Amino acid sequence: MEKFVIYRRVSTKRQGDSGLGLEAQDRDIRIFLNSYAEVPFEVLGTFTDVESGSKADRPQLQAAMQLARQEGAAVLVAKLDRISRSVAFIAGLLEDKRLSLRVASMPYADKFQLHIYAALAEQEREFISRRTKAALAEARARGKVLGGLRKGTAERNAAARAKADAFAEKVLPTISARKEAGASLQAIADELNALGVATARGGAWHPSTVRNALGRS
């Protein structure tokens, strides 16, 4: 029988109290268990941390991993960044022969693929950070007044634009290829949703979001 220890993580107490973030994680984990897990399976426990993904000493994560090792179970997370945003930390977990890691949003990914994905995600975050700083510097060089906005608004807006641009660059080759092959915007959106690829904001694809991604090319 396949055994799982579920691990969830949110970054702030507000998210933990409201359920924001946890509901989405529960949904993805439920989809995985219903569609991809071997039958029968057993869930041994659910552990939740309200901590930043940059912290390695999260108590609930440590408890989840200890239980998984003891029972020969897999730690199941909704997305890889719920475990950590550090490629070094994830690499260490993947090298642990007593520990198995399953990611609901990547149900068929093996350890090598998870390692590569973590490395690419870390590079993308670094690039977004650099792009945000460059965008702010360019705005200041053009004489654009940023001080009139509420504190942090300009930085958040620039970060959101940078994230959307970087995400569009990542998915654009796939979208463009499907569009050139004659697929409609709705068909492309349906395909991305079926593959479990979320938008830059973590939502579902619609014809309008596909059009917006193509417009960023």
Side-chain angles (χ1 to χ4, degrees), residues 42-175:
E42 181 181 5
V43 175
L44 302 179
T46 298
F47 298 81
T48 304
D49 275 314
V50 182
E51 295 278 2
S52 167
S54 63
K55 291 186 177 182
D57 58 346
R58 283 165 271 151
Q60 292 298 298
L61 174 58
Q62 297 302 320
M65 293 192 298
Q66 181 179 353
L67 177 60
R69 291 189 185 102
Q70 291 174 347
E71 299 294 333
V75 175
L76 174 60
V77 293
K79 295 182 179 180
L80 191 58
D81 65 5
R82 297 304 86 192
I83 282 284
S84 178
R85 296 185 182 275
S86 167
V87 64
F89 183 81
I90 291 174
L93 296 184
L94 295 176
E95 291 174 1
D96 188 336
K97 297 185 183 301
R98 298 176 56 206
L99 189 65
S100 176
L101 177 63
R102 300 297 300 274
V103 180
S105 61
M106 294 183 286
Y108 298 121
D110 57 26
K111 287 189 174 184
F112 176 76
Q113 292 169 326
L114 292 176
H115 194 167
I116 294 298
Y117 181 87
L120 292 174
E122 187 171 82
Q123 290 179 27
E124 181 183 17
R125 286 191 296 272
E126 180 182 354
F127 181 79
I128 289 172
S129 175
R130 292 178 182 274
R131 175 181 278 182
T132 300
K133 292 176 182 177
L136 290 171
E138 290 172 2
R140 293 190 182 98
R142 292 194 301 269
K144 186 173 182 180
V145 179
L146 302 179
L149 297 175
R150 182 178 297 178
K151 183 179 179 181
T153 299
E155 287 79 1
R156 287 193 295 272
N157 290 344
R161 287 193 298 272
K163 180 179 180 181
D165 287 343
F167 184 82
E169 289 174 4
K170 185 170 66 173
V171 301
L172 189 58
T174 299
I175 294 176

Side-chain angles (χ1 to χ4, degrees), residues 6 22-37 41 76-78 104:
I6 294 172
L22 292 179
E23 290 181 359
Q25 291 176 60
D26 288 340
R27 176 203 62 208
D28 290 353
I29 288 170
R30 186 166 57 251
I31 291 172
F32 173 89
L33 292 174
N34 291 337
S35 303
Y36 300 99
F41 64 82
L76 174 60
V77 293

